[in-house]
Every structure is written in C-alpha cells, then in structure tokens.
Amino acid sequence: MTSNSFHLAVMPGEGIGLEVMEAAATVLGAVEKRFELSFHQEHIPGGAHHYKETGAILPKDGLERAGKSDAILFGAMGWPDIRFPDGTEIAPQLDMRMAFELYAGVRPIRAIPGVPPVLAHERWKDIDLVIVRESTEGMFASRGKGEIIDDKEARDTQVITRKVTEQLTDFCCKLARNRRETRGTPGRVTLVDKANVFRSFAFMRKVFYETAAKHPDIDARHHYIDAMALDLVRRPWDFDVLPTENLFGDILSDLGAGLIGGMGFAPSADIGAAHGMFQPSHGTAPDIAGKGVANPTAMILSVAMMLDWLGERHGSSAARDAARAIELSVDHAFGTMNLRTYDIGGRHGTRHIGNTIAELIRNGQADPQ
Ligand code: ATP
C-alpha cells in the first residue's frame, strides 16, 4: 500500500549529533512541504550524558518506541569521558544494530562535486562505491564477551554465520542491481575478506559465492582486506558494492570517508529485514561540539537514504523524489554555489549548510528532472 505519511523516531544524541540533526530537520521540513510528505517525529533522548544523568543509556521504553517507528533517524551518541564502570564506551547505536538485527551497514562513498579532491587524480570525481559493513556479527560478536585469562592472555572470537552472510550477499546483489539501473554503475559485488588465513573468512567466501550464484546478472568477486586498503587509495573509482565483515567495514568506511573529504560527507544506513536506522558515519566529535562548525552533509545525506528506503518499502515515489532532490541540492550547493564547510577549510557553519540546502529544495532549483 502506498503511503506518504511516516512515523520517525528521531534520536539526535549528543555532541555534534544535536547540531547536525537540527540542520537535517530543516531539510526534512523543506522536503515535507515540497513533496507533500508528512512526518510524525517522535524524539527519543539517549547517550552518554543521558547515562550520567539517569543511569540508563536510553529511556526504559526507548528501544521499543524506536522499534515501532517507520524509520529511525539517529545523530551521534557517546562521549570519551563518560564510560561504563568497566571502561567501555557508551554506544547505544551498537546495541540497536543488534536488537533490530540491522545486518547491513550501508556506507556510500561518493565524490561530491566541488569538495576539494583528496587524491590528485583526474578520476577522483568518479568515486561512487558503497561499503556494506556487516553489523551484527564478525569481531563485534565478542563485544562485552571477550576474556582476559590470568592477566596473561586476552581473547575475542569472531563469528560468521551462514544466515547473515546469505542475507548480506542478497542485499548487496540487489543494491548493485538497483545502482546499475539508477546510476549506471557496473553491477559488481566484491567481498572483502581474509580467506587466505582464517577459516571463518573462507566460510564467508564460500557462502558468498553460493548465494551470489542466485544472482547471475551480478558480477561477484573477492578482494583481500589488505589489498583493498591499498586499492581504495590507488583506484577507488574501480569499485561498486563492497560487502565485508564488521570490523573490516568499520575501518574501511573511515578510509572511504577520508577519500571524499572526511567524516562530515559520509552518510550511512543500518538496514535489517524489519527496521532501518539512518545516521552519519561520524561520532559526537567532542573537539568541535557546541561551536556550530560541524558539517551536517553526512546527516542530511542520511536523511536522503532514509527517504529512499521508505519510498521503496512503502511504494512512495514522492519519498524517492525527495531523496533525489536532497542529493542534487547537496551537489548543487557544493558544486555550483561554492558552499565550503569548516572541515574542508571553509567558513560555512552547520546552520548555514542546512538552511542553504533547504532553500534549494523549497525553490526547486535542484529538482530531479
Ligand atoms: P566514534 O568512535 O563515535 O565513531 P570518533 O571518535 O571516531 O567517533 P568522530 O566523532 O567520528 O570520532 O570524529 C573524529 C573527528 O573528525 C572529530 O573529532 C572531528 O574533528 C572530525 N569530524 C567528525 N565529524 C565531523 C563533522 N560532521 N564535521 C566536521 N568535523 C567532523
């Protein structure tokens, strides 16, 4: 059934999460009007400061309320000085990935026109790939469960399951197909692993190829993680969809963000069978929090990813058009209007970016053709 009305759980968090969410809300307001969408926004607090004040990282019913929404819009949570008694960081986003089985951490790495090139190569502008970080198992399966034996040895165990690897592969093949249709990318899925050393990765690769065989139109390949670290710097324009294990994906997506101007330009979506959570790839950035200088582009592009996902799930072409308008407005703002955020040496603050992109959407200057 088609719906243009959506219930959103909005979780700004803390640090720059609050600031970039405010800019994203301005953009959301603009697309709501222009594309005749309707958003019911339910705000849910949470994070390290919430933990300090209340003893809990989220309100008691926070997870349940978020789970009942159509989509979760998440800013950033966590603070270096506020930790659990065992010294580990407060990261409700990791708990939510597990609780809602958000196995696909989708991190598009796309060169935005006008953002100064990081690589001195003419093909820099062709960078358009997606890292898909498996987000419920891998090395992170040991989070909070590792052991230290007699102060002499420490162990964390990696877990790779057939079920999740099949889900991840299916997801990536569909994503590559969709990108081929909408963006003209090659329809190629490259598993990033270390199957030459570890049994768990050899198993992952076997299941990957078994599952990819059900998608004969997709070009399925593999690449070792170490070689990928090299090639993402040397020739990132050659890659399309890159599924990988949780920890590898964590690291590679920061590398990817570095390629396109930094964390402020890297959006993300955490997708499961029943839920979707959308957040920038960056954290709370305490060093710049409260100064109004954070780059909200990653958060704004995460809103676009949310609208695309909602549009697909609910048959809403208005939501999909709104997603495209946000992306085009971002490109127009940086590529044509010389918008420059502080992280790339400019002087445009968080609010200015949000207002400019919202204005472009309102006046239809960057509408999809
Ligand atoms: P986490 O572990 O939660 O991912 P982190 O410790 O890796 O967080 P981030 O908050 O992601 O740190 O960011 C690292 C640094 O990058 C920040 O300290 C900040 O200087 C810069 N940074 C991150 N996001 C932005 C942004 N949106 N705009 C400008 N600079 C940013």
Side-chain angles (χ1 to χ4, degrees):
M1 207 179 68
T2 304
S3 172
N4 290 327
S5 174
F6 304 108
H7 172 193
L8 308 180
V10 179
M11 308 178 78
E14 56 207 324
I16 64 166
L18 294 164
E19 299 164 56
V20 297
M21 186 66 86
E22 188 192 310
T26 309
V27 173
L28 204 56
V31 292
E32 188 171 26
K33 276 221 172 84
R34 172 134 191 112
F35 293 92
E36 295 181 7
L37 295 162
S38 158
F39 302 119
H40 165 62
Q41 300 182 38
E42 180 176 356
H43 283 252
I44 303 174
H49 289 90
H50 192 268
Y51 171 76
K52 195 176 174 187
E53 284 155 27
T54 68
I57 58 173
L58 294 172
K60 210 160 70 195
D61 60 351
L63 213 55
E64 196 191 329
R65 278 159 59 202
K68 282 186 183 153
S69 67
D70 292 317
I72 303 161
L73 206 49
F74 194 97
M77 295 187 189
W79 206 254
D81 308 337
I82 308 173
R83 293 182 178 240
F84 289 121
D86 68 357
T88 56
E89 275 182 46
I90 285 146
Q93 60 277 25
L94 297 184
D95 301 312
M96 290 170 72
R97 284 177 195 151
M98 296 292 178
F100 297 136
E101 299 182 19
L102 307 175
Y103 61 86
V106 185
R107 280 110 190 264
I109 304 295
R110 182 178 71 87
I112 294 172
V115 174
V118 174
L119 300 177
H121 193 290
E122 61 187 17
R123 292 202 62 194
W124 184 81
K125 61 178 183 352
D126 297 334
I127 298 174
D128 183 1
L129 60 94
V130 186
I131 295 166
V132 185
R133 168 187 175 183
E134 195 295 310
S135 302
T136 57
E137 51 184 39
M139 270 309 285
F140 281 68
S142 273
R143 182 172 167 252
K145 297 182 199 150
E147 50 176 345
I148 297 173
I149 306 154
D150 294 336
D151 208 27
K152 290 195 181 115
E153 189 176 316
R155 290 172 187 232
D156 287 305
T157 307
Q158 156 147 306
V159 178
I160 302 285
T161 66
R162 169 173 284 280
K163 181 181 162 214
V164 170
T165 305
E166 285 176 353
Q167 282 177 329
L168 185 76
T169 307
D170 276 329
F171 181 92
C172 288
C173 289
K174 283 179 200 154
L175 177 64
R177 184 175 300 121
N178 187 273
R179 281 167 51 81
R180 184 176 56 204
E181 282 158 16
T182 55
R183 313 175 91 92
T185 44
R188 185 181 304 134
V189 179
T190 309
L191 177 71
V192 184
D193 65 28
K194 192 74 183 168
N196 52 338
V197 176
F198 298 102
R199 272 195 177 170
S200 55
F201 282 121
F203 174 71
M204 188 179 194
R205 189 184 287 185
K206 174 174 106 72
V207 176
F208 167 76
Y209 277 116
E210 283 169 13
T211 313
K214 295 176 195 147
H215 303 268
D217 61 316
I218 296 300
D219 176 6
R221 303 180 182 192
H222 62 265
H223 215 84
Y224 293 120
I225 177 67
D226 40 348
M228 185 54 86
L230 175 74
D231 285 336
L232 272 188
V233 175
R234 236 174 24 167
R235 50 183 187 95
W237 38 83
D238 283 344
F239 297 101
D240 185 3
V241 176
L242 305 178
T244 190
E245 179 273 332
N246 208 337
L247 182 58
F248 287 173
D250 187 21
I251 299 164
L252 274 193
S253 45
D254 272 30
L255 191 160
L259 291 175
I260 51 159
M263 302 302 283
F265 292 101
S268 87
D270 292 297
I271 306 292
H275 301 276
M277 178 165 79
F278 301 83
Q279 64 175 121
S281 296
H282 61 76
T284 54
D287 54 333
I288 57 164
K291 297 182 180 155
V293 299
N295 179 357
T297 310
M299 181 80 241
I300 291 168
L301 289 173
S302 302
V303 171
M305 291 179 81
M306 176 188 80
L307 291 168
D308 226 1
W309 182 77
L310 283 170
E312 190 73 37
R313 271 172 86 83
H314 298 270
S316 166
S317 55
R320 280 198 300 259
D321 286 348
R324 189 83 192 112
I326 293 176
E327 219 182 85
L328 290 171
S329 299
V330 166
D331 286 8
H332 188 77
F334 284 94
T336 318
M337 296 171 68
N338 261 326
L339 215 65
R340 290 292 177 271
T341 44
Y342 281 83
D343 52 350
I344 52 169
R347 283 283 171 271
H348 293 130
T350 317
R351 280 201 180 131
H352 182 80
I353 306 291
N355 292 341
T356 307
I357 291 165
E359 188 53 33
L360 282 171
I361 290 165
R362 265 185 231 112
N363 66 27
Q365 221 171 310
D367 265 2
Q369 297 304 310

